[in-house]
Amino acid sequence: YYLKLTPPKDKKEMVICGGREQCSPKYHIERDKFKFYSIEFVSSGHGSITIHGETYPLRPGAIYCYEPHTSHIITTDPQQPMLKHFVDFIGSDFIDLLHTTDFLKGRPLYVSRPFQIRSIFENLITTGNTETPNRQALCALLLRQLILFSDDNCMDPTSTLSPAWQTYVR
């Protein structure tokens, strides 16, 4: 969905676009900058992200954010391509909210309730694709919910490697 690809710069919170992407086995994105803030969530598959020169593995339950002037590289595992959800946005209110969380620390977070995170992203897609007068405001509320819920449900990345956790995610 695309709400406003050329937003005014003074907006306090605005969702630009978002969606779901099944990565091809050759998926590799390398950017020095990006126009908006972005949050991405890995629903399935594996890959890696390099932010600020550090590379981190991506697996189901990983959620990460990058800022407009953050160079990053995202690559999928060709044997297990990622399915990712994303939302792009701008606005001082969202940025202030992100600063109260671990999102801007330059590494992926792992959530204990990945199914609920995926549900919020799916609600964003449905809402973003529904032509209503309140679509932008509803998407902004869902993004706020996504940020807060992700922050409340972060877990230690090493615990996500346990066999029990992997079984739960599957």
Side-chain angles (χ1 to χ4, degrees), residues 104-169:
L104 297 180
K105 299 219 170 156
R107 58 180 162 65
L109 308 174
Y110 293 88
V111 292
S112 61
R113 296 182 179 160
F115 307 106
Q116 289 178 309
I117 297 297
R118 183 175 177 159
S119 176
I120 296 169
F121 271 106
E122 290 296 329
N123 284 338
L124 271 164
I125 292 168
T126 300
T127 303
N129 280 317
T130 305
E131 296 283 337
T132 67
N134 294 311
R135 174 170 71 159
Q136 179 60 245
L138 290 168
C139 284
L141 285 170
L142 286 166
L143 176 55
R144 187 170 287 280
Q145 179 187 22
L146 175 73
I147 293 167
L148 294 171
F149 193 84
S150 298
D151 187 55
D152 278 351
N153 291 281
C154 285
M155 55 190 293
D156 175 20
T158 57
S159 63
T160 64
L161 295 173
S162 75
W165 177 253
Q166 294 301 312
T167 300
Y168 169 71
V169 170

Side-chain angles (χ1 to χ4, degrees), residues 28 30 35 39 48 52 56 65 101 106 117 123 129 149 159 169:
H28 177 88
E30 195 164 338
K35 195 171 182 178
I39 294 176
S48 66
H52 304 297
Y56 302 93
C65 179
T101 70
I117 297 297
N123 284 338
N129 280 317
F149 193 84
S159 63
V169 170

Side-chain angles (χ1 to χ4, degrees), residues 58-134:
L58 295 175
R59 54 189 177 273
I63 189 166
Y64 53 92
C65 179
Y66 47 89
E67 299 174 74
H69 300 289
T70 302
S71 65
H72 57 279
I73 302 168
I74 305 169
T75 305
T76 196
D77 178 336
Q79 305 303 314
Q80 301 175 64
M82 292 184 293
L83 172 65
K84 359 182 245 118
H85 290 74
F86 65 93
V87 60
D88 299 337
F89 56 95
I90 61 162
S92 58
D93 286 358
F94 285 142
I95 296 163
D96 290 347
L97 180 60
L98 287 172
H99 281 291
T100 68
T101 70
D102 286 337
F103 266 111
L104 297 180
K105 299 219 170 156
R107 58 180 162 65
L109 308 174
Y110 293 88
V111 292
S112 61
R113 296 182 179 160
F115 307 106
Q116 289 178 309
I117 297 297
R118 183 175 177 159
S119 176
I120 296 169
F121 271 106
E122 290 296 329
N123 284 338
L124 271 164
I125 292 168
T126 300
T127 303
N129 280 317
T130 305
E131 296 283 337
T132 67
N134 294 311

